[in-house]
Amino acid sequence: MCAVGQRRRTRSRRTTTTTTTPGSLRWTAVGFAAVLLLLTILGSVVQCQTFIRRTANVCRTDEECPVQAYCERYNSVHEYGVCSCMAGYFAVTDSNNTRRCLRAATDIGDYCLHNDQCQYTLSTGNSECRDNSCQCVDGAHYVEREKRCYKTSFLGEYCRLTNNCIGNDTYCRDGICVCTPGKHPNTDRNRCLHDAKLGDQCFRDEECVTDNSRCAQELCTCRVSHVLNELRNRCLPIANKIYDLCEENIQCLYNIPHSQCRITTGADGITAGRCTCASRFHEAAFKCVSSVHLNGICEVPDNCIDRDTTCIHGRCRCIDHLIEVDGICSGSGPFAKHHRDGVILALASVLLSSWRGFS
């Protein structure tokens, strides 16, 4: 980058005395000044192709130079000099091919008329003058600590410099933009969030790093579809019915009362857990109900676990046409035969009465 124009110290040169007339001396001085001016302009262009300090105006006094410029001479012997922009300014060419000195921007958002005003300080290829305001171009961002625009690399993308990585608490590691330890990228990968574990304070869901967690009431907790495990460091999915996969009892008990997680190892050597009913309970319609034997107190027919029993008036009884024999509902035996014969006689009597009525 070219330095902003400043007054150069006057350099002394040795001069040799020659016998000349006043007229020839004047023409010699003018010619030398013209050659010096040409060399100065060419040297400036070669040395600084983007930001030119000299305006190419030949001058004898500062008043002959544009605003914010002064007449620069190499030494006091030469009558003519070249107009150069003051410190903090540089020469630009207007639409009418005249040069003037414009102030270089010092920060993002500074007022501008030309791109050069912004690019002098903010960056040659990554800044521009947009709506009379110095801004970074699309695909670049402003780094406050450097006061410059840099090409943007999002978290997880390739980078050459740490300044390429957008957002605070980021740096370039092995050519990839990453967050500093204890932080992680947000969803848009343009900033780093602090790692908030279960029970830690938070302000948004993105801060919670535990799988299937969220931010609720400014604390990281499990999502509504998950439950906290016993060690309070994981969120486990809640089981909805019997035989769903599980790891801990709490997964089953959350939606299925009187259930448990039973861990078994199959013939293939794979260990897995499934929700089953706890002791003294059994499965009915993918739920766990209390197991009640014959003559026990019940609430619903599903409570009665013995064969051929149902809940009748709050007790597990044998179903119709069966009787209890030694604690078992049975349709055989003398009492059962007598009961069956009585039923047959009653049906025959009803049919006979109906036939007589028709006749």
Side-chain angles (χ1 to χ4, degrees):
M1 181 181 293
C2 303
V4 180
Q6 296 180 352
R7 290 182 179 271
R8 295 184 178 179
R9 295 181 179 178
T10 303
R11 296 178 296 181
S12 62
R13 290 186 178 180
R14 292 185 179 180
T15 58
T16 57
T17 304
T18 57
T19 304
T20 57
T21 62
S24 61
L25 180 61
R26 179 178 181 84
W27 282 108
T28 301
V30 172
F32 184 78
V35 173
L36 180 62
L37 174 62
L38 179 60
L39 293 176
T40 302
I41 295 174
L42 291 176
S44 299
V45 173
V46 172
Q47 184 179 5
C48 181
Q49 296 180 357
T50 304
F51 305 108
I52 300 175
R53 185 167 57 89
R54 295 180 177 86
T55 65
N57 297 43
V58 179
C59 60
R60 287 181 295 183
T61 63
D62 292 346
E63 288 73 15
E64 297 176 355
C65 297
V67 179
Q68 305 299 341
Y70 64 94
C71 190
E72 181 181 20
R73 297 183 183 85
Y74 279 94
N75 54 54
S76 58
V77 175
H78 301 127
E79 182 179 359
Y80 291 91
V82 180
C83 291
S84 298
C85 295
M86 293 183 177
Y89 293 80
F90 60 93
V92 296
T93 303
D94 288 337
S95 57
N96 56 0
N97 291 327
T98 60
R99 285 190 173 180
R100 59 173 174 161
C101 295
L102 293 180
R103 184 177 182 84
T106 59
D107 204 348
I108 196 78
D110 282 359
Y111 178 80
C112 59
L113 294 174
H114 294 265
N115 287 335
D116 287 348
Q117 290 179 264
C118 310
Q119 295 174 353
Y120 187 88
T121 303
L122 300 180
S123 176
T124 301
N126 296 319
S127 62
E128 63 181 352
C129 183
R130 187 190 313 154
D131 298 329
N132 298 122
S133 175
C134 286
Q135 301 293 332
C136 297
V137 299
D138 293 338
H141 64 280
Y142 184 69
V143 179
E144 180 67 30
R145 61 179 177 271
E146 301 290 345
K147 301 292 184 181
R148 287 178 60 81
C149 295
Y150 289 87
K151 183 179 179 181
T152 298
S153 294
F154 289 92
L155 289 164
E157 293 182 346
Y158 170 77
C159 57
R160 294 182 59 192
L161 305 169
T162 293
N163 289 332
N164 292 136
C165 302
I166 191 171
N168 297 326
D169 303 316
T170 61
Y171 68 102
C172 187
R173 183 183 67 188
D174 299 330
I176 300 296
C177 288
V178 297
C179 293
T180 56
K183 295 181 180 293
H184 64 278
N186 66 343
T187 303
D188 296 330
R189 297 184 296 113
N190 59 4
R191 61 181 300 190
C192 291
L193 306 174
H194 78 279
D195 294 344
K197 300 179 181 179
L198 291 172
D200 290 347
Q201 187 178 17
C202 60
F203 298 98
R204 56 181 67 88
D205 291 346
E206 291 180 310
E207 297 177 5
C208 301
V209 294
T210 305
D211 291 339
N212 300 304
S213 62
R214 65 182 181 123
C215 185
Q217 297 181 351
E218 298 186 355
L219 290 177
C220 285
T221 184
C222 293
R223 296 186 180 277
V224 294
S225 59
H226 289 68
V227 64
L228 189 64
N229 69 337
E230 293 181 359
L231 296 178
R232 307 183 68 82
N233 60 359
R234 294 176 59 203
C235 292
L236 304 176
I238 297 174
N240 294 317
K241 61 183 183 301
I242 291 295
Y243 308 127
D244 279 354
L245 292 173
C246 61
E247 296 181 36
E248 297 182 5
N249 290 333
I250 188 63
Q251 294 175 259
C252 307
L253 289 170
Y254 198 90
N255 276 339
I256 312 169
H258 315 300
S259 62
Q260 64 181 359
C261 184
R262 184 181 179 185
I263 309 295
T264 58
T265 301
D268 54 1
I270 298 177
T271 301
R274 290 190 179 274
C275 291
T276 59
C277 294
S279 177
R280 294 181 298 180
F281 291 86
H282 65 278
E283 183 269 331
F286 296 102
K287 295 182 179 180
C288 292
V289 295
S290 58
S291 301
V292 180
H293 292 284
L294 184 62
N295 297 321
I297 298 175
C298 59
E299 295 179 355
V300 293
D302 287 338
N303 290 137
C304 302
I305 194 174
D306 292 330
R307 182 179 178 182
D308 298 328
T309 59
T310 187
C311 188
I312 301 175
H313 303 302
R315 292 277 183 175
C316 286
R317 304 294 188 184
C318 294
I319 60 176
D320 291 343
H321 314 310
L322 296 181
I323 61 174
E324 179 185 349
V325 178
D326 297 330
I328 300 175
C329 294
S330 174
S332 60
F335 295 100
K337 183 178 183 300
H338 176 74
H339 177 74
R340 184 170 58 252
D341 292 342
V343 171
I344 294 174
L345 289 175
L347 290 174
S349 177
V350 171
L351 291 174
L352 181 60
S353 299
S354 299
W355 180 77
R356 287 178 179 177
F358 283 110
S359 61

